Amino acid sequence: MLIKDNHIAAAGSVAAAMQRARAAAAHLTCIEIEVDTLDQLKQALPHLPSAVLLDNFSLTDLKTAVKLAKGQTLLEASGGITIENVFAVAETGVDVISIGALTHSAPALDVGLDAL
């Protein structure tokens, strides 16, 4: 289950979104929550999410997030990550890195399937 920013807004807070997700999820369901700030990360950690998606964090904030989480949850870096900066992101200590540029920046191939 992935809790996105719009879910947090609808629930009213990170805590409320996590509580609603836990109430609706089966006992073995992994719950990942997307956070945009270190403050949101601090709010999420006591609820023991399976993973936290760190959206558009700076390298400095990624390093801080790793220290705050203390290995208690999987941390995924996402947003603004490119082939050029992925190594620096990896050096922050996050567990997983998502690179959207692999799909949204790939060149398109125009293939026509016109019948003769």
Side-chain angles (χ1 to χ4, degrees):
M1 183 180 294
L2 176 59
I3 302 170
K4 300 281 285 173
D5 54 355
N6 55 330
H7 301 120
I8 295 169
S13 69
V14 168
M18 283 295 303
Q19 290 166 352
R20 287 183 183 184
R22 287 249 183 259
H27 70 286
L28 294 177
T29 301
C30 291
I31 299 175
E32 180 173 14
I33 186 163
E34 174 185 28
V35 299
D36 300 321
T37 66
L38 290 169
D39 186 51
Q40 284 184 325
L41 174 63
K42 290 175 189 174
Q43 294 172 45
L45 289 174
H47 298 279
L48 304 174
S50 306
V52 177
L53 188 151
L54 307 169
D55 191 35
N56 290 307
F57 273 47
S58 68
L59 292 174
T60 300
D61 285 349
L62 287 173
K63 291 176 188 175
T64 302
V66 170
K67 289 178 185 174
L68 286 171
K70 299 177 186 168
Q72 66 179 307
T73 188
L74 185 136
L75 295 178
E76 176 183 358
S78 182
I81 300 170
T82 64
I83 298 301
E84 292 76 27
N85 69 8
V86 69
F87 187 76
V89 172
E91 287 182 318
T92 67
V94 295
D95 302 295
V96 178
I97 302 170
S98 297
I99 304 176
L102 294 174
T103 54
H104 67 67
S105 297
L109 174 63
D110 185 12
V111 177
L113 299 175
D114 301 330
L116 296 176

